[in-house]
Amino acid sequence: RVIRLQLMSEGNGQAEGQDKAQSSAPPNAVWPLRDKEGHVTVPFAYGTIAFWQGKRAQEYQTHKWHVYVRGANNEDLTPLIERVIFQLHPSFNNPTRVVDTAPFHVCELGWGEFEITIRIFFHDGPEQGLEMKHMLKLFPRVGEPSQKKPVVSERHDEFVFNTPNEGLLQRISMCNTRMPNGGPAWATIEPFFSPLNEHEELLRIQAAQRRVQAEITLVKEELENEEQILAFLQDEVKKLEPSIVKKPPGT
């Protein structure tokens, strides 16, 4: 099965734009990561980027926005991901968008913010896939909208596979290549992606694993304590049973 482990906080605001030399850096060499229990971790990112169309835009087309799922450093996830389903607001034509090849993204025009449901399905992975939700952000937290700086709302996260089969492992290893040209729409938003720092990511994963292990230890201790209390009460009840005198019927 596949689980998610949230490690990095959401970035949300007006993007300053990334250095294009940085965006063309080689893919992350750290992942996929495997822990001692056999879990394999693949970092990824998902979110929205919205461009204000200016004061002359039509009333219901004030923003051009994108929603996407990508590799943490824009790696090509096509060998791993079979398809991504983006569920838009029902007011859109064909609100259920199915994307079965990279780049996994949808571009639309609109005027309002809403929650987008994203469902990811994997090759050689669990049939139920993975579902998450993300709020489309059109307006900056502070200041006025700008045509030069889009509003970026992006999260870095991880696919955590519990003892994946060999076929899935092979597909994961094939994702360590940069995604090819994604077309004009993708090229528009790619400079605003937030890069993943491999060393910091590794430290975050290790810290999260320690927190989970500490919580497991605490729960075990609480359970042992409750079992000791239960055993004590059961012993007390047994001690009291011989002293209970049953009254004969009719008295």
Side-chain angles (χ1 to χ4, degrees), residues 101-194:
T101 185
F104 299 101
H105 109 293
V106 169
C107 178
E108 268 291 355
L109 287 167
W111 59 273
E113 299 180 340
F114 60 92
E115 188 176 65
I116 300 173
T117 299
I118 304 172
R119 298 180 65 194
I120 302 174
F121 296 87
F122 303 92
H123 296 287
D124 296 316
E127 294 183 0
Q128 70 271 24
L130 178 66
E131 180 176 306
M132 50 199 173
K133 298 181 184 296
H134 190 82
M135 180 63 72
L136 168 64
K137 298 291 185 181
L138 301 182
F139 306 100
R141 288 180 175 177
V142 294
E144 297 295 325
S146 169
Q147 289 184 270
K148 296 181 180 180
K149 298 177 182 178
V151 174
V152 180
S153 176
E154 182 173 76
R155 288 180 181 270
H156 280 269
D157 210 327
E158 290 82 27
F159 300 128
V160 182
F161 296 93
N162 183 10
T163 58
N165 58 45
E166 287 301 319
L168 186 56
L169 281 174
Q170 290 180 5
R171 288 186 174 277
I172 292 174
S173 65
M174 293 168 61
C175 293
N176 259 327
T177 58
R178 180 157 296 282
M179 195 182 72
N181 183 11
W186 190 256
T188 301
I189 62 175
E190 189 173 4
F192 301 101
F193 293 155
S194 57

Side-chain angles (χ1 to χ4, degrees), residues 29-128:
V30 171
W31 68 276
L33 297 171
R34 184 197 291 267
D35 64 20
K36 61 182 180 181
E37 296 179 351
H39 299 149
V40 173
T41 301
V42 179
F44 73 104
Y46 65 100
T48 59
I49 296 179
F51 295 84
W52 183 53
Q53 298 300 288
K55 295 181 179 180
R56 296 184 179 182
Q58 297 182 24
E59 182 179 3
Y60 297 110
Q61 296 184 350
T62 59
H63 291 77
K64 185 175 185 178
W65 54 265
H66 306 251
V67 58
Y68 56 86
V69 174
R70 65 179 182 87
N73 278 329
N74 214 21
E75 296 88 353
D76 184 4
L77 298 182
T78 304
L80 175 63
I81 295 179
E82 178 183 3
R83 69 187 184 278
V84 178
I85 300 177
F86 298 94
Q87 187 64 48
L88 310 183
H89 192 274
S91 61
F92 284 88
N93 292 327
N94 183 26
T96 303
R97 308 290 176 89
V98 181
V99 183
D100 56 10
T101 185
F104 299 101
H105 109 293
V106 169
C107 178
E108 268 291 355
L109 287 167
W111 59 273
E113 299 180 340
F114 60 92
E115 188 176 65
I116 300 173
T117 299
I118 304 172
R119 298 180 65 194
I120 302 174
F121 296 87
F122 303 92
H123 296 287
D124 296 316
E127 294 183 0
Q128 70 271 24

